[in-house]
mmCIF file of all heavy atoms in Angstrom:
data_model
loop_
_atom_site.group_PDB
_atom_site.id
_atom_site.type_symbol
_atom_site.label_atom_id
_atom_site.label_comp_id
_atom_site.label_asym_id
_atom_site.label_seq_id
_atom_site.Cartn_x
_atom_site.Cartn_y
_atom_site.Cartn_z
ATOM 1 N N GLN O 1 63.627 -22.744 54.787
ATOM 2 C CA GLN O 1 64.377 -23.122 53.622
ATOM 3 C C GLN O 1 65.864 -22.973 53.891
ATOM 4 O O GLN O 1 66.304 -22.083 54.604
ATOM 5 C CB GLN O 1 63.982 -22.315 52.414
ATOM 6 C CG GLN O 1 62.494 -22.395 52.001
ATOM 7 C CD GLN O 1 62.089 -23.798 51.575
ATOM 8 O OE1 GLN O 1 62.764 -24.400 50.785
ATOM 9 N NE2 GLN O 1 60.994 -24.313 52.096
ATOM 10 N N ARG O 2 66.661 -23.813 53.167
ATOM 11 C CA ARG O 2 68.110 -23.676 53.234
ATOM 12 C C ARG O 2 68.684 -22.715 52.245
ATOM 13 O O ARG O 2 68.077 -22.586 51.153
ATOM 14 C CB ARG O 2 68.768 -25.060 53.091
ATOM 15 C CG ARG O 2 68.366 -26.050 54.172
ATOM 16 C CD ARG O 2 69.389 -27.216 54.306
ATOM 17 N NE ARG O 2 69.227 -28.090 53.096
ATOM 18 C CZ ARG O 2 70.019 -29.123 52.917
ATOM 19 N NH1 ARG O 2 71.008 -29.379 53.822
ATOM 20 N NH2 ARG O 2 69.906 -29.903 51.917
ATOM 21 N N SER O 3 69.765 -22.160 52.517
ATOM 22 C CA SER O 3 70.395 -21.118 51.552
ATOM 23 C C SER O 3 71.172 -21.914 50.539
ATOM 24 O O SER O 3 71.753 -23.005 50.733
ATOM 25 C CB SER O 3 71.362 -20.259 52.346
ATOM 26 O OG SER O 3 71.920 -19.259 51.499
ATOM 27 N N VAL O 4 71.214 -21.355 49.280
ATOM 28 C CA VAL O 4 71.830 -21.999 48.155
ATOM 29 C C VAL O 4 72.810 -21.038 47.523
ATOM 30 O O VAL O 4 72.516 -19.855 47.385
ATOM 31 C CB VAL O 4 70.765 -22.435 47.085
ATOM 32 C CG1 VAL O 4 71.451 -23.139 45.958
ATOM 33 C CG2 VAL O 4 69.785 -23.418 47.738
ATOM 34 N N GLY O 5 73.917 -21.551 47.000
ATOM 35 C CA GLY O 5 74.859 -20.749 46.323
ATOM 36 C C GLY O 5 75.893 -21.470 45.537
ATOM 37 O O GLY O 5 75.711 -22.705 45.349
ATOM 38 N N ILE O 6 76.776 -20.767 44.927
ATOM 39 C CA ILE O 6 77.808 -21.351 44.068
ATOM 40 C C ILE O 6 79.237 -21.221 44.753
ATOM 41 O O ILE O 6 79.578 -20.072 45.111
ATOM 42 C CB ILE O 6 77.868 -20.756 42.621
ATOM 43 C CG1 ILE O 6 76.515 -21.031 41.971
ATOM 44 C CG2 ILE O 6 78.975 -21.413 41.819
ATOM 45 C CD1 ILE O 6 76.142 -22.443 41.722
ATOM 46 N N LEU O 7 79.871 -22.311 44.908
ATOM 47 C CA LEU O 7 81.175 -22.324 45.497
ATOM 48 C C LEU O 7 82.289 -22.511 44.381
ATOM 49 O O LEU O 7 82.157 -23.393 43.581
ATOM 50 C CB LEU O 7 81.331 -23.392 46.532
ATOM 51 C CG LEU O 7 82.683 -23.533 47.305
ATOM 52 C CD1 LEU O 7 82.762 -22.384 48.279
ATOM 53 C CD2 LEU O 7 82.789 -24.873 48.003
ATOM 54 N N THR O 8 83.279 -21.631 44.355
ATOM 55 C CA THR O 8 84.362 -21.746 43.425
ATOM 56 C C THR O 8 85.568 -22.389 44.149
ATOM 57 O O THR O 8 86.006 -21.874 45.211
ATOM 58 C CB THR O 8 84.776 -20.403 42.901
ATOM 59 O OG1 THR O 8 83.677 -19.754 42.201
ATOM 60 C CG2 THR O 8 85.983 -20.543 41.926
ATOM 61 N N ILE O 9 85.948 -23.562 43.621
ATOM 62 C CA ILE O 9 87.070 -24.315 44.193
ATOM 63 C C ILE O 9 88.281 -24.260 43.311
ATOM 64 O O ILE O 9 88.160 -24.553 42.126
ATOM 65 C CB ILE O 9 86.601 -25.793 44.492
ATOM 66 C CG1 ILE O 9 85.384 -25.880 45.300
ATOM 67 C CG2 ILE O 9 87.754 -26.558 45.059
ATOM 68 C CD1 ILE O 9 84.834 -27.349 45.448
ATOM 69 N N GLU O 10 89.387 -23.817 43.809
ATOM 70 C CA GLU O 10 90.641 -23.805 43.021
ATOM 71 C C GLU O 10 91.633 -24.936 43.512
ATOM 72 O O GLU O 10 91.611 -25.233 44.729
ATOM 73 C CB GLU O 10 91.246 -22.448 43.146
ATOM 74 C CG GLU O 10 90.451 -21.299 42.538
ATOM 75 C CD GLU O 10 91.187 -19.979 42.483
ATOM 76 O OE1 GLU O 10 92.338 -19.934 43.122
ATOM 77 O OE2 GLU O 10 90.641 -19.030 41.914
ATOM 78 N N GLY O 11 92.359 -25.457 42.626
ATOM 79 C CA GLY O 11 93.281 -26.524 42.933
ATOM 80 C C GLY O 11 93.869 -27.124 41.756
ATOM 81 O O GLY O 11 93.825 -26.569 40.657
ATOM 82 N N PHE O 12 94.388 -28.344 41.929
ATOM 83 C CA PHE O 12 95.049 -29.056 40.833
ATOM 84 C C PHE O 12 93.999 -29.765 39.952
ATOM 85 O O PHE O 12 93.087 -30.364 40.422
ATOM 86 C CB PHE O 12 96.097 -30.048 41.322
ATOM 87 C CG PHE O 12 97.244 -29.386 42.144
ATOM 88 C CD1 PHE O 12 97.185 -29.446 43.509
ATOM 89 C CD2 PHE O 12 98.217 -28.672 41.518
ATOM 90 C CE1 PHE O 12 98.216 -28.873 44.267
ATOM 91 C CE2 PHE O 12 99.245 -28.116 42.181
ATOM 92 C CZ PHE O 12 99.260 -28.164 43.606
ATOM 93 N N ALA O 13 94.263 -29.683 38.635
ATOM 94 C CA ALA O 13 93.345 -30.333 37.674
ATOM 95 C C ALA O 13 93.349 -31.811 37.985
ATOM 96 O O ALA O 13 94.323 -32.514 38.325
ATOM 97 C CB ALA O 13 93.894 -30.124 36.240
ATOM 98 N N GLY O 14 92.099 -32.362 37.884
ATOM 99 C CA GLY O 14 91.890 -33.840 38.123
ATOM 100 C C GLY O 14 91.479 -34.128 39.541
ATOM 101 O O GLY O 14 91.054 -35.249 39.865
ATOM 102 N N THR O 15 91.556 -33.144 40.427
ATOM 103 C CA THR O 15 91.163 -33.379 41.852
ATOM 104 C C THR O 15 89.629 -33.587 41.914
ATOM 105 O O THR O 15 88.894 -32.742 41.450
ATOM 106 C CB THR O 15 91.603 -32.212 42.743
ATOM 107 O OG1 THR O 15 92.965 -32.002 42.672
ATOM 108 C CG2 THR O 15 91.169 -32.454 44.170
ATOM 109 N N VAL O 16 89.211 -34.708 42.489
ATOM 110 C CA VAL O 16 87.824 -35.004 42.624
ATOM 111 C C VAL O 16 87.252 -34.471 43.957
ATOM 112 O O VAL O 16 87.843 -34.751 45.076
ATOM 113 C CB VAL O 16 87.602 -36.550 42.551
ATOM 114 C CG1 VAL O 16 86.160 -36.887 42.812
ATOM 115 C CG2 VAL O 16 88.112 -37.107 41.290
ATOM 116 N N ILE O 17 86.164 -33.705 43.825
ATOM 117 C CA ILE O 17 85.444 -33.189 45.002
ATOM 118 C C ILE O 17 84.215 -33.942 45.242
ATOM 119 O O ILE O 17 83.309 -33.880 44.412
ATOM 120 C CB ILE O 17 85.139 -31.655 44.777
ATOM 121 C CG1 ILE O 17 86.336 -30.866 44.200
ATOM 122 C CG2 ILE O 17 84.638 -31.110 46.072
ATOM 123 C CD1 ILE O 17 87.551 -30.888 45.121
ATOM 124 N N PRO O 18 84.133 -34.732 46.274
ATOM 125 C CA PRO O 18 82.872 -35.562 46.439
ATOM 126 C C PRO O 18 81.720 -34.827 46.902
ATOM 127 O O PRO O 18 81.800 -33.644 47.408
ATOM 128 C CB PRO O 18 83.344 -36.540 47.602
ATOM 129 C CG PRO O 18 84.325 -35.709 48.402
ATOM 130 C CD PRO O 18 85.088 -34.858 47.423
ATOM 131 N N LYS O 19 80.555 -35.386 46.680
ATOM 132 C CA LYS O 19 79.340 -34.856 47.222
ATOM 133 C C LYS O 19 79.359 -34.797 48.701
ATOM 134 O O LYS O 19 79.829 -35.770 49.325
ATOM 135 C CB LYS O 19 78.157 -35.734 46.747
ATOM 136 C CG LYS O 19 76.754 -35.214 47.270
ATOM 137 C CD LYS O 19 75.681 -36.205 46.814
ATOM 138 C CE LYS O 19 74.339 -35.760 47.369
ATOM 139 N NZ LYS O 19 73.241 -36.667 46.954
ATOM 140 N N GLY O 20 79.027 -33.708 49.345
ATOM 141 C CA GLY O 20 79.056 -33.561 50.829
ATOM 142 C C GLY O 20 80.343 -32.928 51.252
ATOM 143 O O GLY O 20 80.567 -32.801 52.514
ATOM 144 N N PHE O 21 81.153 -32.475 50.390
ATOM 145 C CA PHE O 21 82.322 -31.662 50.749
ATOM 146 C C PHE O 21 81.872 -30.451 51.450
ATOM 147 O O PHE O 21 81.049 -29.634 50.933
ATOM 148 C CB PHE O 21 83.186 -31.326 49.514
ATOM 149 C CG PHE O 21 84.312 -30.416 49.747
ATOM 150 C CD1 PHE O 21 85.418 -30.808 50.401
ATOM 151 C CD2 PHE O 21 84.253 -29.096 49.210
ATOM 152 C CE1 PHE O 21 86.453 -29.847 50.619
ATOM 153 C CE2 PHE O 21 85.294 -28.241 49.368
ATOM 154 C CZ PHE O 21 86.428 -28.617 50.166
ATOM 155 N N ARG O 22 82.434 -30.109 52.645
ATOM 156 C CA ARG O 22 81.911 -29.091 53.483
ATOM 157 C C ARG O 22 82.941 -27.904 53.604
ATOM 158 O O ARG O 22 84.111 -28.041 53.788
ATOM 159 C CB ARG O 22 81.550 -29.584 54.859
ATOM 160 C CG ARG O 22 80.417 -30.473 54.848
ATOM 161 C CD ARG O 22 79.849 -30.792 56.245
ATOM 162 N NE ARG O 22 78.587 -31.445 56.263
ATOM 163 C CZ ARG O 22 77.844 -31.662 57.287
ATOM 164 N NH1 ARG O 22 78.265 -31.251 58.495
ATOM 165 N NH2 ARG O 22 76.667 -32.270 57.185
ATOM 166 N N VAL O 23 82.253 -26.661 53.578
ATOM 167 C CA VAL O 23 83.043 -25.423 53.750
ATOM 168 C C VAL O 23 82.265 -24.611 54.774
ATOM 169 O O VAL O 23 81.059 -24.902 55.069
ATOM 170 C CB VAL O 23 83.212 -24.655 52.483
ATOM 171 C CG1 VAL O 23 84.090 -25.448 51.527
ATOM 172 C CG2 VAL O 23 81.850 -24.359 51.862
ATOM 173 N N ALA O 24 82.860 -23.529 55.341
ATOM 174 C CA ALA O 24 82.169 -22.717 56.255
ATOM 175 C C ALA O 24 82.691 -21.375 56.255
ATOM 176 O O ALA O 24 83.709 -21.006 55.715
ATOM 177 C CB ALA O 24 82.361 -23.409 57.704
ATOM 178 N N THR O 25 81.897 -20.425 56.898
ATOM 179 C CA THR O 25 82.315 -19.010 57.140
ATOM 180 C C THR O 25 83.169 -18.999 58.371
ATOM 181 O O THR O 25 83.153 -19.961 59.165
ATOM 182 C CB THR O 25 81.093 -18.115 57.182
ATOM 183 O OG1 THR O 25 80.388 -18.429 58.395
ATOM 184 C CG2 THR O 25 80.253 -18.247 55.989
ATOM 185 N N GLU O 26 83.752 -17.871 58.676
ATOM 186 C CA GLU O 26 84.511 -17.612 59.914
ATOM 187 C C GLU O 26 83.540 -17.685 61.122
ATOM 188 O O GLU O 26 84.021 -17.942 62.230
ATOM 189 C CB GLU O 26 85.249 -16.339 59.836
ATOM 190 C CG GLU O 26 86.450 -16.308 58.789
ATOM 191 C CD GLU O 26 87.499 -17.303 59.177
ATOM 192 O OE1 GLU O 26 87.679 -17.636 60.425
ATOM 193 O OE2 GLU O 26 88.160 -17.854 58.299
ATOM 194 N N THR O 27 82.250 -17.446 60.849
ATOM 195 C CA THR O 27 81.310 -17.377 61.958
ATOM 196 C C THR O 27 80.625 -18.761 62.168
ATOM 197 O O THR O 27 79.798 -18.918 63.020
ATOM 198 C CB THR O 27 80.194 -16.360 61.725
ATOM 199 O OG1 THR O 27 79.557 -16.631 60.446
ATOM 200 C CG2 THR O 27 80.777 -14.959 61.714
ATOM 201 N N GLY O 28 81.071 -19.764 61.370
ATOM 202 C CA GLY O 28 80.590 -21.090 61.584
ATOM 203 C C GLY O 28 79.370 -21.544 60.861
ATOM 204 O O GLY O 28 78.753 -22.611 61.141
ATOM 205 N N LYS O 29 78.996 -20.831 59.806
ATOM 206 C CA LYS O 29 77.862 -21.263 58.927
ATOM 207 C C LYS O 29 78.393 -22.224 57.979
ATOM 208 O O LYS O 29 79.253 -21.895 57.120
ATOM 209 C CB LYS O 29 77.175 -20.036 58.300
ATOM 210 C CG LYS O 29 76.523 -19.130 59.278
ATOM 211 C CD LYS O 29 75.849 -17.914 58.644
ATOM 212 C CE LYS O 29 75.232 -17.057 59.643
ATOM 213 N NZ LYS O 29 74.551 -15.819 59.106
ATOM 214 N N ILE O 30 77.844 -23.513 57.974
ATOM 215 C CA ILE O 30 78.350 -24.575 57.210
ATOM 216 C C ILE O 30 77.505 -24.830 55.926
ATOM 217 O O ILE O 30 76.289 -24.827 55.919
ATOM 218 C CB ILE O 30 78.423 -25.861 57.991
ATOM 219 C CG1 ILE O 30 79.274 -25.596 59.258
ATOM 220 C CG2 ILE O 30 78.910 -27.006 57.216
ATOM 221 C CD1 ILE O 30 79.208 -26.755 60.249
ATOM 222 N N PHE O 31 78.214 -25.056 54.780
ATOM 223 C CA PHE O 31 77.586 -25.425 53.535
ATOM 224 C C PHE O 31 78.279 -26.755 52.993
ATOM 225 O O PHE O 31 79.411 -26.983 53.365
ATOM 226 C CB PHE O 31 77.783 -24.333 52.485
ATOM 227 C CG PHE O 31 76.880 -23.129 52.647
ATOM 228 C CD1 PHE O 31 77.046 -22.337 53.748
ATOM 229 C CD2 PHE O 31 75.829 -22.888 51.741
ATOM 230 C CE1 PHE O 31 76.229 -21.229 53.939
ATOM 231 C CE2 PHE O 31 75.039 -21.798 51.927
ATOM 232 C CZ PHE O 31 75.205 -20.893 52.993
ATOM 233 N N GLU O 32 77.500 -27.483 52.163
ATOM 234 C CA GLU O 32 78.125 -28.668 51.592
ATOM 235 C C GLU O 32 77.677 -28.732 50.143
ATOM 236 O O GLU O 32 76.692 -28.247 49.729
ATOM 237 C CB GLU O 32 77.674 -29.925 52.335
ATOM 238 C CG GLU O 32 76.157 -30.218 52.251
ATOM 239 C CD GLU O 32 75.803 -31.463 53.077
ATOM 240 O OE1 GLU O 32 76.668 -32.000 53.749
ATOM 241 O OE2 GLU O 32 74.673 -31.938 52.905
ATOM 242 N N THR O 33 78.525 -29.434 49.314
ATOM 243 C CA THR O 33 78.322 -29.594 47.929
ATOM 244 C C THR O 33 77.177 -30.598 47.706
ATOM 245 O O THR O 33 76.984 -31.545 48.506
ATOM 246 C CB THR O 33 79.576 -29.980 47.150
ATOM 247 O OG1 THR O 33 80.095 -31.328 47.747
ATOM 248 C CG2 THR O 33 80.629 -28.979 47.300
ATOM 249 N N VAL O 34 76.451 -30.448 46.610
ATOM 250 C CA VAL O 34 75.280 -31.344 46.371
ATOM 251 C C VAL O 34 75.616 -32.388 45.282
ATOM 252 O O VAL O 34 74.738 -33.215 44.984
ATOM 253 C CB VAL O 34 74.082 -30.498 45.883
ATOM 254 C CG1 VAL O 34 73.695 -29.545 47.009
ATOM 255 C CG2 VAL O 34 74.303 -29.768 44.546
ATOM 256 N N GLU O 35 76.837 -32.301 44.703
ATOM 257 C CA GLU O 35 77.207 -33.351 43.707
ATOM 258 C C GLU O 35 78.729 -33.470 43.636
ATOM 259 O O GLU O 35 79.472 -32.630 44.159
ATOM 260 C CB GLU O 35 76.659 -32.887 42.302
ATOM 261 C CG GLU O 35 77.240 -31.527 41.884
ATOM 262 C CD GLU O 35 76.717 -31.056 40.524
ATOM 263 O OE1 GLU O 35 76.217 -31.921 39.821
ATOM 264 O OE2 GLU O 35 76.820 -29.854 40.248
ATOM 265 N N GLU O 36 79.169 -34.578 43.081
ATOM 266 C CA GLU O 36 80.572 -34.758 42.932
ATOM 267 C C GLU O 36 80.988 -34.093 41.641
ATOM 268 O O GLU O 36 80.367 -34.192 40.596
ATOM 269 C CB GLU O 36 80.860 -36.318 42.791
ATOM 270 C CG GLU O 36 82.323 -36.615 42.587
ATOM 271 C CD GLU O 36 82.588 -38.094 42.532
ATOM 272 O OE1 GLU O 36 82.357 -38.832 43.517
ATOM 273 O OE2 GLU O 36 83.028 -38.552 41.378
ATOM 274 N N VAL O 37 82.160 -33.390 41.699
ATOM 275 C CA VAL O 37 82.744 -32.650 40.599
ATOM 276 C C VAL O 37 84.291 -32.864 40.556
ATOM 277 O O VAL O 37 84.864 -33.346 41.530
ATOM 278 C CB VAL O 37 82.430 -31.179 40.642
ATOM 279 C CG1 VAL O 37 80.974 -30.897 40.491
ATOM 280 C CG2 VAL O 37 83.033 -30.541 41.920
ATOM 281 N N THR O 38 84.827 -32.583 39.366
ATOM 282 C CA THR O 38 86.301 -32.751 39.284
ATOM 283 C C THR O 38 86.830 -31.354 38.755
ATOM 284 O O THR O 38 86.291 -30.747 37.875
ATOM 285 C CB THR O 38 86.587 -33.831 38.188
ATOM 286 O OG1 THR O 38 86.023 -35.067 38.604
ATOM 287 C CG2 THR O 38 88.077 -33.968 38.058
ATOM 288 N N ILE O 39 87.953 -30.952 39.386
ATOM 289 C CA ILE O 39 88.502 -29.681 39.057
ATOM 290 C C ILE O 39 89.071 -29.808 37.614
ATOM 291 O O ILE O 39 89.849 -30.685 37.233
ATOM 292 C CB ILE O 39 89.709 -29.298 40.049
ATOM 293 C CG1 ILE O 39 89.110 -29.037 41.431
ATOM 294 C CG2 ILE O 39 90.463 -28.041 39.523
ATOM 295 C CD1 ILE O 39 90.166 -28.708 42.444
ATOM 296 N N ILE O 40 88.740 -28.800 36.758
ATOM 297 C CA ILE O 40 89.282 -28.773 35.365
ATOM 298 C C ILE O 40 89.854 -27.362 35.195
ATOM 299 O O ILE O 40 89.269 -26.365 35.545
ATOM 300 C CB ILE O 40 88.105 -28.900 34.406
ATOM 301 C CG1 ILE O 40 87.398 -30.276 34.609
ATOM 302 C CG2 ILE O 40 88.536 -28.785 32.942
ATOM 303 C CD1 ILE O 40 86.133 -30.450 33.800
ATOM 304 N N ASP O 41 91.070 -27.362 34.644
ATOM 305 C CA ASP O 41 91.688 -26.112 34.361
ATOM 306 C C ASP O 41 91.913 -25.218 35.637
ATOM 307 O O ASP O 41 91.554 -24.065 35.640
ATOM 308 C CB ASP O 41 90.983 -25.285 33.299
ATOM 309 C CG ASP O 41 91.829 -24.211 32.724
ATOM 310 O OD1 ASP O 41 93.050 -24.259 32.819
ATOM 311 O OD2 ASP O 41 91.217 -23.208 32.188
ATOM 312 N N LYS O 42 92.238 -25.879 36.725
ATOM 313 C CA LYS O 42 92.704 -25.246 37.955
ATOM 314 C C LYS O 42 91.506 -24.781 38.836
ATOM 315 O O LYS O 42 91.691 -24.409 40.000
ATOM 316 C CB LYS O 42 93.611 -24.080 37.746
ATOM 317 C CG LYS O 42 94.944 -24.475 37.180
ATOM 318 C CD LYS O 42 95.895 -23.338 37.083
ATOM 319 C CE LYS O 42 97.205 -23.751 36.385
ATOM 320 N NZ LYS O 42 98.162 -22.597 36.326
ATOM 321 N N LYS O 43 90.248 -24.863 38.398
ATOM 322 C CA LYS O 43 89.106 -24.468 39.267
ATOM 323 C C LYS O 43 87.772 -25.018 38.717
ATOM 324 O O LYS O 43 87.727 -25.380 37.542
ATOM 325 C CB LYS O 43 89.019 -22.958 39.373
ATOM 326 C CG LYS O 43 88.522 -22.198 38.154
ATOM 327 C CD LYS O 43 88.450 -20.681 38.487
ATOM 328 C CE LYS O 43 87.941 -19.899 37.258
ATOM 329 N NZ LYS O 43 87.682 -18.487 37.610
ATOM 330 N N ILE O 44 86.807 -25.033 39.589
ATOM 331 C CA ILE O 44 85.452 -25.615 39.251
ATOM 332 C C ILE O 44 84.432 -24.896 40.124
ATOM 333 O O ILE O 44 84.709 -24.564 41.325
ATOM 334 C CB ILE O 44 85.424 -27.168 39.483
ATOM 335 C CG1 ILE O 44 84.082 -27.693 38.827
ATOM 336 C CG2 ILE O 44 85.520 -27.500 40.908
ATOM 337 C CD1 ILE O 44 84.121 -27.743 37.349
ATOM 338 N N ASP O 45 83.259 -24.656 39.543
ATOM 339 C CA ASP O 45 82.143 -24.080 40.304
ATOM 340 C C ASP O 45 81.191 -25.181 40.663
ATOM 341 O O ASP O 45 80.889 -26.079 39.769
ATOM 342 C CB ASP O 45 81.396 -23.028 39.485
ATOM 343 C CG ASP O 45 82.155 -21.768 39.431
ATOM 344 O OD1 ASP O 45 83.110 -21.605 40.188
ATOM 345 O OD2 ASP O 45 81.927 -21.000 38.453
ATOM 346 N N VAL O 46 80.660 -25.253 41.866
ATOM 347 C CA VAL O 46 79.774 -26.342 42.243
ATOM 348 C C VAL O 46 78.661 -25.713 43.154
ATOM 349 O O VAL O 46 78.971 -24.793 43.920
ATOM 350 C CB VAL O 46 80.443 -27.437 42.996
ATOM 351 C CG1 VAL O 46 81.152 -26.910 44.211
ATOM 352 C CG2 VAL O 46 79.539 -28.613 43.245
ATOM 353 N N LYS O 47 77.518 -26.262 43.067
ATOM 354 C CA LYS O 47 76.368 -25.793 43.907
ATOM 355 C C LYS O 47 76.566 -26.276 45.315
ATOM 356 O O LYS O 47 76.884 -27.450 45.557
ATOM 357 C CB LYS O 47 75.043 -26.316 43.316
ATOM 358 C CG LYS O 47 73.774 -25.859 44.035
ATOM 359 C CD LYS O 47 72.513 -26.382 43.411
ATOM 360 C CE LYS O 47 71.240 -26.029 44.169
ATOM 361 N NZ LYS O 47 70.010 -26.505 43.525
#
């Protein structure tokens, strides 16, 4: 099974984060978002 978590993204309001946006740890473990979201009030949580 794959690992699941919540990513908090901070930035400018209105910024669109597409599905498949990728982040990683310093050791190279990669995660990607499962849906498209838009930053509201400077930050947004996404699975």
